[in-house]
Amino acid sequence: MARWVTCLPCSLPQHRNLRAGSVDHMQWSKEEEDEARKKVEENSATRVAPEEQVKFENAANKYWDTFYQTHKNKFFKNRNWLLREFPEILPVDQNTKEKLGESSWDPARSSISRTQGTETHRQETFVSSEPGSRERSASNPDLEEYSRGPRKAEQFPGSKATFRILEVGCGAGNSVFPILNTLQNIPGSFLYCCDFAPEAVELVKSHEAYSEAHCSAFIHDVCDDGLAYPFPDGTLDVILLVFVLSSIHPDRMQAVIHRLSRLLKPGGMLLFRDHGRYDNAQLRFKKGRCLSENFYVRGDGTRAYFFTKGEIHRMFCEAGLHEKQNLVDHRLQVNRKKQIQMHRVWVQGKFQKPSCWTPRSADEHALPSPD
């Protein structure tokens, strides 16, 4: 569902003659970036009252549940671009993955600008920072059973699979079904998907293409680190985190990434895409919708944060993952009929769990608990 809105006064000559629907590799002029920064400063000047912020945090799942009750699966388009940008989703040999990766980043076709971050190779062990992880292991029989190894391996969905994917924040299935359409003919593959909005999970399960033989959809709040997943830690090959982290309170983001990294196998990949700083969506917020710096609440109560590439690098590397890709996607979208233009900005990254990964207890290395 496109909403064509002018986000910046495009006065440069090269902008006046735009006729296509989307222009990739757009680099902002200094004037455009200054204008975007000014708009953000203006719409951030007035903050939402603290008591209201608590309400939006405590009822986050209810706002999203209402969203899906209202829009069902009609709001977002299917993400058919996923396999192009993330060939790691496919359980294929490395040579084939590299070929797919090269083709997806072809300068003539790719939507990603040449702002790639440096690859990071940190030769250190991952440190679990989840408060209370020891206590949960002792009090949660499911996690305790999983930690005992293969003897209980057949007790969870997808236990016989050789390639497992988890999509976090699956919504109505706009990523789920394009992935399933590809994976259904690949033996040994299995897709998990979760959302904390019950209505969203029900929409996925009621879809005609949903199959329990290839997929398991479940309700889960990734911010509640006391909740067990329906599979053991260290069993996933791929985690997909697309336009989800931005809806989480900034104070909770790091703990969420730490927890997700524990689910990956050594060598597993976490694939990320989300809102970038100065995206048109950020510039459109009115005064009084800002919760904190670069964090906003929409009229329907759902929230959105807008990231920089540096923030993404810091959070994922802090979780012990190696940065394989960290890119900014700059795109100018044009409504030819109305002659309206808007800048879109997204951040995309690929982060890998190192092969030598030794988790330690939360007592050895813990982050402050979020408010």
Side-chain angles (χ1 to χ4, degrees):
M1 180 177 293
R3 290 181 179 147
W4 302 99
V5 180
T6 301
C7 70
L8 292 174
C10 298
S11 58
L12 297 183
Q14 62 266 33
H15 290 163
R16 291 176 181 160
N17 298 320
L18 287 171
R19 298 179 64 84
S22 178
V23 179
D24 302 336
H25 306 298
M26 289 301 302
Q27 296 298 321
W28 287 13
S29 67
K30 183 178 184 302
E31 291 79 10
E32 288 173 318
E33 189 168 351
D34 288 345
E35 180 68 15
R37 185 179 297 106
K38 180 180 178 181
K39 283 178 176 278
V40 169
E41 290 175 354
E42 290 175 354
N43 69 22
S44 302
T46 304
R47 301 290 174 89
V48 175
E51 59 273 17
E52 287 293 299
Q53 295 203 31
V54 172
K55 180 188 72 173
F56 291 127
E57 172 67 16
N58 293 340
N61 63 328
K62 294 181 181 179
Y63 286 114
W64 278 108
D65 203 49
T66 300
F67 174 90
Y68 287 109
Q69 288 175 12
T70 301
H71 300 287
K72 303 299 181 181
N73 60 355
K74 308 297 184 183
F75 192 86
F76 299 111
K77 294 181 179 180
N78 281 347
R79 293 165 177 164
N80 296 314
W81 50 266
L82 278 174
L83 292 175
R84 183 183 71 247
E85 303 293 0
F86 297 130
E88 294 82 1
I89 290 173
L90 294 177
V92 294
D93 63 83
Q94 190 58 40
N95 290 334
T96 306
K97 284 185 179 181
E98 289 174 359
K99 290 178 182 178
L100 285 169
E102 289 169 2
S103 64
S104 72
W105 297 107
D106 186 332
R109 298 186 300 166
S110 175
S111 63
I112 304 298
S113 62
R114 295 295 181 182
T115 51
Q116 183 168 353
T118 57
E119 186 171 317
T120 305
H121 295 282
R122 300 201 317 169
Q123 301 299 320
E124 59 186 11
T125 57
F126 172 78
V127 181
S128 173
S129 64
E130 293 182 273
S133 61
R134 283 181 174 175
E135 289 77 4
R136 285 200 311 278
S137 178
S139 61
N140 191 321
D142 292 333
L143 288 180
E144 193 171 26
E145 291 291 341
Y146 290 151
S147 68
R148 293 176 184 174
R151 186 170 63 86
K152 297 293 183 179
E154 296 185 1
Q155 293 189 357
F156 64 93
S159 58
K160 295 182 180 180
T162 56
F163 189 87
R164 303 183 186 94
I165 302 173
L166 167 66
E167 187 198 2
V168 178
C170 62
N174 299 98
S175 296
V176 170
F177 297 108
I179 294 174
L180 278 180
N181 186 52
T182 301
L183 294 183
Q184 63 182 349
N185 296 319
I186 301 177
S189 60
F190 195 87
L191 174 65
Y192 303 96
C193 57
C194 66
D195 202 288
F196 70 169
E199 181 67 23
V201 175
E202 183 57 34
L203 286 170
V204 171
K205 287 186 171 183
S206 62
H207 195 283
E208 60 182 6
Y210 180 78
S211 168
E212 292 186 352
H214 301 98
C215 183
S216 175
F218 58 99
I219 300 170
H220 192 90
D221 183 355
V222 294
C223 291
D224 187 347
D225 57 10
L227 291 177
Y229 286 83
F231 45 80
D233 287 353
T235 58
L236 299 179
D237 295 273
V238 174
I239 293 176
L240 195 62
L241 191 64
V242 176
F243 295 104
V244 173
L245 195 63
S246 57
S247 66
I248 294 172
H249 194 288
D251 288 349
R252 296 182 179 273
M253 291 179 183
Q254 188 67 68
V256 168
I257 298 170
H258 270 287
R259 180 68 187 100
L260 293 177
S261 66
R262 288 181 55 193
L263 300 176
L264 286 170
K265 294 177 181 177
M269 295 289 293
L270 196 156
L271 308 175
F272 172 85
R273 187 171 175 89
D274 218 317
H275 299 293
R277 189 69 47 85
Y278 304 146
D279 177 52
N280 177 71
Q282 182 178 16
L283 305 187
R284 288 176 55 199
F285 278 104
K286 304 298 183 183
K287 291 182 180 179
R289 307 306 299 177
C290 185
L291 298 166
S292 60
E293 190 173 0
N294 301 302
F295 190 43
Y296 301 82
V297 61
R298 304 182 183 94
D300 61 5
T302 64
R303 301 172 299 176
Y305 186 87
F306 297 84
F307 297 96
T308 65
K309 187 172 65 174
E311 288 174 328
I312 298 306
H313 169 84
R314 176 185 57 78
M315 286 192 291
F316 285 92
C317 290
E318 175 66 24
L321 302 177
H322 291 174
E323 181 181 288
K324 296 297 181 181
Q325 197 173 79
N326 190 3
L327 303 154
V328 177
D329 180 342
H330 287 283
R331 187 181 305 184
L332 184 65
Q333 293 183 341
V334 182
N335 183 323
R336 185 171 58 184
K337 183 178 181 180
K338 296 183 179 181
Q339 285 296 298
I340 295 175
Q341 306 165 5
M342 63 180 179
H343 283 287
R344 302 311 311 265
V345 184
W346 296 289
V347 180
Q348 179 169 305
K350 302 178 182 182
F351 300 88
Q352 187 171 38
K353 187 172 183 175
S355 56
C356 297
W357 185 84
T358 307
R360 288 180 281 173
S361 71
D363 294 337
E364 293 177 277
H365 182 80
L367 293 177
S369 300
D371 295 334

